[in-house]
Amino acid sequence: MDKIEYAIFYATKAHKGQKRKQKDVDMIFHPFTVGMILQRNGCDEDIVTAGILHDVVEDTQHTFEDIEKEFGKKVRDYVYDASEPDKSLPWKERKQHTINHIKTAPLGSKLIVASDKINNLEDSISNIKECGEDKVLSRNPEEQKWYYTSVYKSCIENVDANHPIFVRYKKVLEELWK
């Protein structure tokens, strides 16, 4: 089994029984989609692997050490860059950490974070069409706009903003907040 296939296996087991917000969809749909966005845009095996694993430490009992043991330090570092440090902190503090951290992260980490946000925002757009904005954007829509726009700006800092993943991210932001 190659590294990406093993990441799919590992993430599927780790996220077993978890569901996505707003939809009756297994959680694993999200990391798979993030990995596919990365792979379709020519990212290397470590970036795709980390994209598939990006929520494992945040949302399961697995640790960064587990990721490093199974997939190597580079994948572990990408997963670390894409993870919130402490889920017990207040929402705004966690989000500000992501915004600040990703500004100076390597391109691979920026691409993983951008792909994660793309999938979250595309799901939100789909759910808004089905359920209405008030049922989907549980936080203040202005706070959501601030967060996702700030992450976008951090992702494109010091890199080529014309990378197809960043172009897609910008397009989704514009669609959601016209």
Side-chain angles (χ1 to χ4, degrees):
M1 185 177 315
D2 74 13
K3 192 182 268 190
I4 293 171
E5 290 169 354
Y6 184 53
I8 291 169
F9 172 78
Y10 192 92
T12 300
K13 283 181 56 178
H15 291 294
K16 185 176 181 169
Q18 295 177 346
K19 297 287 185 184
R20 287 286 279 161
K21 293 177 190 170
Q22 304 296 329
K23 282 190 174 181
D24 187 27
V25 174
D26 290 338
M27 173 61 181
I28 198 61
F29 170 79
H30 172 64
F32 284 177
T33 303
V34 170
M36 288 177 66
I37 291 168
L38 294 162
Q39 190 168 48
R40 287 179 177 161
N41 285 280
C43 293
D44 70 30
E45 182 180 60
D46 286 335
I47 294 170
V48 174
T49 297
I52 294 165
L53 299 169
H54 81 277
D55 277 336
V56 167
V57 174
E58 224 175 87
D59 295 340
T60 76
Q61 297 300 314
H62 293 273
T63 65
F64 293 116
E65 292 75 24
D66 296 335
I67 299 296
E68 185 169 349
K69 179 181 168 209
E70 297 294 327
F71 299 95
K73 184 175 179 347
K74 193 170 186 181
V75 170
R76 178 245 181 250
D77 290 348
Y78 284 140
V79 171
Y80 177 83
D81 287 342
S83 298
E84 290 185 347
D86 183 352
K87 296 278 270 192
S88 69
L89 294 173
W91 183 87
K92 189 132 186 176
E93 196 173 326
R94 292 188 331 250
K95 302 311 178 190
Q96 189 64 57
H97 172 273
T98 299
I99 292 163
N100 295 340
H101 182 79
I102 208 64
K103 281 180 186 178
T104 59
L107 177 61
S109 297
K110 290 174 181 259
L111 293 170
I112 293 164
V113 168
S115 297
D116 172 37
K117 302 313 176 217
I118 288 166
N119 184 241
N120 288 339
L121 290 169
E122 288 176 344
D123 277 357
S124 291
I125 291 167
S126 173
N127 289 333
I128 286 169
K129 289 176 183 173
E130 283 180 36
C131 309
E133 184 174 318
D134 58 322
K135 298 227 188 309
V136 175
L137 297 176
S138 56
R139 295 201 70 80
N140 179 321
E142 287 305 311
E143 285 182 334
Q144 294 288 324
K145 182 178 180 180
W146 161 80
Y147 173 60
Y148 283 105
T149 302
S150 297
V151 170
Y152 168 76
K153 290 175 184 173
S154 291
C155 282
I156 63 168
E157 191 158 312
N158 300 316
V159 297
D160 181 5
N162 292 314
H163 187 287
I165 289 176
F166 300 139
V167 170
R168 182 173 172 183
Y169 190 175
K170 183 178 181 185
K171 182 180 174 197
V172 174
L173 282 171
E174 290 168 351
E175 183 178 347
L176 188 56
W177 288 291
K178 297 171 187 167

